[in-house]
Amino acid sequence: MNNSWTDRWDDRYSKEEFAYGEEPNNYFKEQIEKLNPGSILFPAEGEGRNAIYAAKSGWKVDAFDISAEGKNKAIKLAEANNVSIDYKVGELETLNYQTEQFDAIALIYAHFPAEIKADIHKTLATYLRKGGIIIFEAFSKKHLEYLAINDKVGGPKDIESLFSIEEIKSDFPDYEIIELEEKEIELNEGLFHNGKGSVIRFMGKKK
């Protein structure tokens, strides 16, 4: 990833207010409550709202992001909530996670650059044990229609960075699909996710 991509997120996360709020994503919260706590990885976790919720719920939490500013906010949020998380800064291939290390992986608005997003998904899948769970919510390709009406809903502005059901099936082929749908939802997350949008939601169990 180039420096401008990192700079963009450092700038967004350097502000005092939390870009996407301090509360967990609704879909993530709903799904994580169905699982027994274990070890969980949060890619592109930003300011830590979902990771901290998992830690408070008894999970052993690992997270990473390219933004050092995001980590700083996440660690402060963890301290404020009297929990600890293992948060690394860097690109995935440099972080030395292990095969079948995690019981769950949460990809919540983890919009990686278009040219590497499928490869990252496939690498992440190797870190999940058999029987482990993927929880995924991110903007769908249809979301551009919503973004054209309301810029405040947020999300990538190029269709290649957005997701389709077909891409999720291709990126995570060896999974029992518990849920996979494209859905219109109302977002109210901090400064940058506000209004109606179109998302892909996926809950899958590794075979």
Side-chain angles (χ1 to χ4, degrees), residues 20-25 45 47-53 77 189:
Y20 302 102
E22 297 178 40
E23 297 301 314
N25 169 265
E45 176 53 8
E47 297 165 316
R49 62 194 175 108
N50 299 305
I52 274 65
Y53 183 80
L77 188 60
E189 298 184 328

Side-chain angles (χ1 to χ4, degrees), residues 32-40 54-60 103:
I32 200 74
E33 288 174 355
K34 299 174 183 176
L35 306 177
N36 293 321
S39 58
I40 186 168
K56 288 169 66 177
S57 302
W59 288 78
K60 180 183 181 296
D103 298 304

Side-chain angles (χ1 to χ4, degrees), residues 72-120:
N72 291 341
K73 294 273 276 294
I75 296 304
K76 287 178 184 174
L77 188 60
E79 290 171 353
N81 283 276
N82 297 309
V83 294
S84 62
I85 61 174
D86 187 342
Y87 195 125
K88 297 178 180 178
V89 175
E91 296 184 24
L92 181 58
E93 63 271 18
T94 70
L95 300 179
N96 300 315
Y97 295 116
Q98 303 301 308
T99 301
E100 299 192 359
Q101 181 176 345
F102 298 102
D103 298 304
I105 296 175
L107 287 153
I108 306 299
Y109 296 96
H111 285 277
F112 297 100
E115 65 274 13
I116 61 172
K117 66 180 186 175
D119 288 340
I120 286 179

